[in-house]
Structures are given as structure tokens and as C-alpha cells.
Amino acid sequence: MPENYVVEKTRTFESGIRLESGRLLAPITLSYETYGSLNASKSNAILVEHAWTGDAHLAGKHNEYETKPGWWDAIVGPGCLLDTDRYFVVCSNVIGSCFGSTGPASINPKTGKRYNLSFPVITIRDMVRAQKLLVDSLGVDKLLTVMGGSMGGMQALEWATQYPDSIASAVVLATTPRPSPQAISLNAVARWAIFNDPTWRKGEYKHNPKDGLALARGIGHITFLSDESMNAKFGRRFSAKDGKFDFFGQFEVERYLNYNGYNFVDRFDANSFLYLAKSLDIYDVAWGYESMSEAFSLVKAPIQFYAFSSDWLYPAYQTEEMVMCLKTLDKEVEYHLLTSAYGHDAFLLEHETFTPMVRDFLERVKKL
């Protein structure tokens, strides 16, 4: 995206939302960014959903001092997949996060203190319910598409089932109808890492519990990669800074995880990490329904699915289960299994593999 600086915006909704747990969360604030312009017919809006530790900063830079652009910058801008000369692109930070939207690090208006663990458990559906308030406030009755990978894909599925008349299509990448026991167990170990950090203090910390959170991030980061990509990137190379027979000597892959883990501590809140992990673990597209088939019977918009061959966190068979269910219901569905060595993160790192198909899909949707 060119150097036109983007502005982070916020909107507060005093009425809040009623959560799936039955609790009322009010007021709520959502942080968001927009790219391009809404057309006169308000028919060109695209909502992009971020993954677990993402934010609303989808593309571009906020100022000249930022060294990196937004997290999916390569697909947003004039002439790109999400062409800002044609589309009005919106990205919102989810509730529960720590990048401007209401979450455990926010101030509870009833106490004047941080929510911390008094913050209610939220679901992916709750996140989308909050986003619906934002989309409505922007004057958009129907989104051209809602698009996201991983947790972002879960949100896209919720739009398709909970607000079927509010979207014209959905693009779902590297996601699952419900996390497997293996995925849940990996998040459980990440939680233990934070819980066992003595500075966490049951969520009442003054400073981020850096050792626990860094370890939790390291565990999570492994799930985003693949055996093939780790071999290509690191092999079995030993750190040039260490002796091989130094007890604390590290392989390059260890140094990489250590660096990324502690770098993460500087930008993410531990309680938000825990709440969002819980949201992932309890996600089930069939929540509140007798079956996935009953949930998907509500879908009206065409959905385009992508899975990646080396993704072992949300493997292809999980996407294929959804595709088969939708086909059985005679819903309009399209599926692409892409060969990739990048594991779960392929949807972020190899946009060129799906860009042509998504572009064609959006062109077809616009003609419906």
C-alpha cells in the first residue's frame, strides 16, 4: 500500500451487547481502520477479520516512524486484491483484545480499575455481534464480503450463519468449525505457562508477566509453522554465538522462538492472550444448534474456502467437513486446497496463491 498514512479510529456503543454467556458488556469500544471510500450505493464494503493476536492495522502505516506496515498490507491498496480504488475496506479489532477495543486491560466503568479477570468470557460470536454494531454505524446494510483466516475465518463463518442477510459472500481461509483436542491442548500448555509465572498474580499484575507470556507465545508460534518450513529456515544449525557443548547453547530455532516470544511481550497483554485463547478453544460453529448442518442451513451467501496442505493446526480435513456439509445442503460453496510449506501461517505469507481465485470470486459476487 502506498505511503498514505492511515488513521486508527474508535467508536463507543453505550448500549453494549448481550453476550452468549448471558452477561451484558457495556459500554463497548471498537478500534478500527478503513481504506478506500464507500460508494453511493454502499455496496462495495469489505470487512477483513484478524487472527488471534492481530489488530485493526490491516495495511499501510500510521506515520513515518513505523518500520513495518499493517499485517496484510500486500493485499490492500490500489490495484491489489482488495483494491482501494474500488472497495471500502474495514478492519476492526475484536473485543477481548488489547489494541483499542474493550478487553480485560480496559477500565471497568463500574470500578474505575482494569477489568482483568472480572472481564466476562467472550465467544467468537460475541466478537461478531460487536462488529455488527460497527458495520451498521458506518451505514453499511450489506457487506460485499467478509474475509479472514484462522480466528478471522471463524468470524467470517459467524457472519454467514448469524447475519446471513448482511453479507453477499464470505472468504474463509485456514480455519476450523471447532478446534481439535490437539489444538486445545496446545493452548492449555500456553495457559499454564502464564498461570505459573509468579508475576501474573491471578491477572492482577502491574507489569506483563514476561516469562510466562513469552513461553506461551513460543508454544503458539510453533503451531503456526510446519516441519518443512522450519527445516528450510533453520535446519539443525547451532547458534554461531554458542559452543555446541555449552549447556545453555541454543539451536537457531531456539533463538528464533526466544526472540519472538520476548518481542511479543512488548506489544500484547497477557490477560487478552488468555481470553482470546479461551474464545478459540470453545468455538464451535454449531454452538446453540443441534448440528453443523442446522447451523449451516441458515447460510445464504456463497462461501469460498481455502485450506493449506502443511497446516497441522487446522488441517484440511476440517475445512472439507464444512464444505461437504454445505454441499449436502445445496449451498453455494467453493473449495481450494493449496500446496504450501508454510503451515498455518500460509494465508498470511503466500497471498499470491489465492489472490487470483479470490479476485474472480469477488467479481462474480458483484454481478449477483
Side-chain angles (χ1 to χ4, degrees):
M1 192 170 181
E3 293 293 333
N4 295 322
Y5 298 130
V6 295
V7 178
E8 182 183 37
K9 308 166 188 176
T10 60
R11 292 204 180 190
T12 298
F13 303 93
E14 295 296 334
S15 60
I17 57 171
R18 182 68 62 179
L19 304 172
E20 288 295 301
S21 66
R23 292 181 60 178
L24 176 67
L25 180 62
I28 58 169
T29 296
L30 288 178
S31 172
Y32 69 102
E33 293 184 7
T34 63
Y35 312 81
S37 302
L38 190 62
N39 61 15
S41 61
K42 299 180 179 179
S43 61
N44 68 334
I46 293 176
L47 179 64
V48 178
E49 308 282 21
H50 70 74
W52 184 0
T53 58
D55 55 28
H57 189 35
L58 175 66
K61 295 182 179 180
H62 292 130
N63 54 60
E64 62 183 301
Y65 304 107
E66 283 190 347
T67 57
K68 293 182 178 180
W71 54 270
W72 225 354
D73 183 75
I75 71 167
V76 182
C80 296
L81 172 58
L82 303 185
D83 188 342
T84 49
D85 289 335
R86 304 176 65 192
Y87 303 123
F88 176 59
V89 182
V90 181
C91 186
S92 157
N93 186 222
V94 300
I95 56 171
S97 187
C98 54
F99 292 118
S101 294
T102 300
S106 302
I107 299 299
N108 182 342
K110 294 181 180 179
T111 65
K113 300 178 181 179
R114 284 168 49 122
Y115 277 102
N116 292 334
L117 298 196
S118 70
F119 193 73
V121 171
I122 56 170
T123 66
I124 305 296
R125 192 167 296 171
D126 293 329
M127 297 173 189
V128 170
R129 188 171 288 126
Q131 289 168 9
K132 182 65 165 61
L133 293 178
L134 174 63
V135 170
D136 288 347
S137 74
L138 294 173
V140 177
D141 294 326
K142 193 166 191 174
L143 293 160
L144 177 63
T145 200
V146 57
M147 176 179 182
S150 192
M151 189 181 87
M154 296 175 187
Q155 293 168 73
L157 291 172
E158 289 301 301
W159 274 97
T161 55
Q162 302 306 302
Y163 301 104
D165 295 316
S166 297
I167 66 169
S169 66
V171 179
V172 179
L173 304 100
T175 198
T176 177
R178 71 191 78 78
S180 67
Q182 175 176 261
I184 293 169
S185 68
L186 290 162
N187 280 351
V189 176
R191 277 192 288 273
W192 293 347
I194 295 174
F195 294 161
N196 290 330
D197 187 319
T199 65
W200 181 61
R201 301 179 186 277
K202 295 185 178 179
E204 296 294 328
Y205 48 85
K206 293 183 179 179
H207 303 288
N208 231 3
K210 63 178 185 178
D211 291 334
L213 182 56
L215 177 54
R217 176 61 172 181
I219 294 165
H221 202 73
I222 293 168
T223 70
F224 306 150
L225 305 175
S226 72
D227 180 58
E228 188 175 351
S229 67
M230 293 178 85
N231 263 309
K233 189 177 182 70
F234 307 108
R236 285 181 46 82
R237 293 191 304 277
F238 209 74
S239 171
K241 297 180 180 180
D242 301 329
K244 185 164 288 191
F245 297 103
D246 178 352
F247 182 77
F248 292 103
Q250 294 182 315
F251 287 93
E252 287 292 347
V253 67
E254 291 179 273
R255 283 197 172 276
Y256 172 80
L257 292 173
N258 186 76
Y259 170 79
N260 277 278
Y262 281 97
N263 186 53
F264 181 71
V265 170
D266 295 331
R267 68 177 184 86
F268 212 85
D269 175 67
N271 285 342
S272 285
F273 183 93
L274 292 168
Y275 271 87
L276 295 181
K278 174 64 72 173
S279 299
L280 286 168
D281 288 349
I282 64 176
Y283 180 68
D284 187 341
V285 73
W287 165 260
Y289 302 97
E290 290 294 326
S291 63
M292 183 191 298
S293 182
E294 184 182 355
F296 279 158
S297 69
L298 303 171
V299 171
K300 296 181 179 180
I303 305 179
Q304 189 181 56
F305 285 93
Y306 291 89
F308 298 87
S309 61
S310 57
D311 184 353
W312 60 276
L313 180 62
Y314 299 151
Y317 77 84
Q318 296 177 3
T319 295
E320 290 161 4
E321 179 187 3
M322 294 187 283
V323 171
M324 290 304 299
C325 182
L326 287 161
K327 285 185 175 180
T328 300
L329 294 167
D330 292 323
K331 303 295 183 179
E332 190 172 346
V333 61
E334 181 181 321
Y335 172 56
H336 300 277
L337 174 58
L338 302 179
T339 300
S340 173
Y342 283 97
H344 186 64
D345 266 355
F347 78 94
L348 291 172
L349 301 174
E350 291 189 302
H351 61 90
E352 66 279 358
T353 63
F354 56 80
T355 288
M357 285 91 79
V358 175
R359 183 176 281 125
D360 290 347
F361 180 66
L362 292 179
E363 289 299 323
R364 295 197 302 273
V365 170
K366 286 172 66 178
K367 295 175 182 178
L368 294 178

